[in-house]
Amino acid sequence: MSSSREPTSVCPSVNTLGHVHSVETCGTVDGPGLRYVLFASGCPLKCQYCHNPDAQGKPCGEVRSAADVLADLKKYRNFIRSGGLTISGGEPLMQSEFAHAIFQGAKEMGIHTALDTSGFLGVKAGDEMLESIDLVLLDIKSWIPKVYRETTGVMIDPTIRFAKRLNALGKPTWIRFVLVPGLTNGEENIEGLASFISTLRNVERVEILPFHKMGESKYEELGMDYKLAATPVPNAKEMLRAKRIFRKYGVEAI
């Protein structure tokens, strides 16, 4: 058996319960086309620029069954015909059985499916679950291990292993990287990530996302320290520089 494969798991029931942070019914940035985006609660990372800090830690909030989510999704099937379903977070793989049940039900309805993940819990996505996912949006937060840990609070190794596994399986993948001045925008950091991505044959798209502060007010409401309060958003020149570094490795980033 190929080392890229993970043990298959029993198909979860639509009665599987999960914790939902929020739902966006007409999303346009989390995969192709117009999408139903379910944000799952819970995440093992503590990204400095996280815009959903209330979704960090253990899953909490509204409890819903996969069947309930699928019933709601069905209402929007005609509107998202050009797009599909994306499960984001938080980190969906903290509730892998819940996500798997929803993905499986969506596929039975003929709806395109996408998983938005950091890849840190990639081992929780069994091969059977990945078969129900059409596209993986893999957020690689940084490259240099020290910078990755400073950015997220965790190690990069599990994410890299998951990226290599997706490549071995030929699973269509989009890579997303957030450019943060003074944190992730170092030339060596960008070059390392670009060089790694250039070795992957399953990557269909690479997005360099500019750091923003849209979630800053949530930190104040939660009594949390927002470490990037004094960090400026990257300007057009900085974004272009990053894209040129990727291009040097044969990777066209948008």
Side-chain angles (χ1 to χ4, degrees), residues 24-42:
E24 183 178 0
T25 56
C26 295
T28 58
V29 297
D30 297 301
L34 197 64
R35 308 190 71 81
Y36 182 104
V37 185
L38 181 131
F39 296 91
S41 173

Side-chain angles (χ1 to χ4, degrees), residues 129-142:
M129 179 179 181
L130 286 178
E131 287 172 5
S132 67
I133 297 170
D134 295 307
L135 174 70
V136 175
L137 308 178
L138 182 60
D139 303 312
I140 303 185
K141 317 287 185 173
S142 194

Side-chain angles (χ1 to χ4, degrees), residues 4 118-120 122 136 138 140 143 156-171 173 175 193 196-197 199-203:
S4 68
S118 70
F120 183 71
V136 175
L138 182 60
I140 303 185
W143 178 257
I156 190 175
D157 306 67
T159 292
I160 300 307
R161 287 195 293 270
F162 187 55
K164 290 180 177 179
R165 179 176 159 223
L166 293 173
N167 182 57
L169 293 171
K171 178 62 62 176
T173 298
I175 302 289
L193 180 57
F196 172 66
I197 293 174
T199 69
L200 306 176
R201 298 291 170 256
N202 63 320
V203 175

Side-chain angles (χ1 to χ4, degrees), residues 144-165:
I144 297 173
K146 182 179 179 181
V147 179
Y148 192 93
R149 182 180 283 277
E150 182 182 358
T151 303
T152 67
V154 300
M155 299 182 299
I156 190 175
D157 306 67
T159 292
I160 300 307
R161 287 195 293 270
F162 187 55
K164 290 180 177 179
R165 179 176 159 223

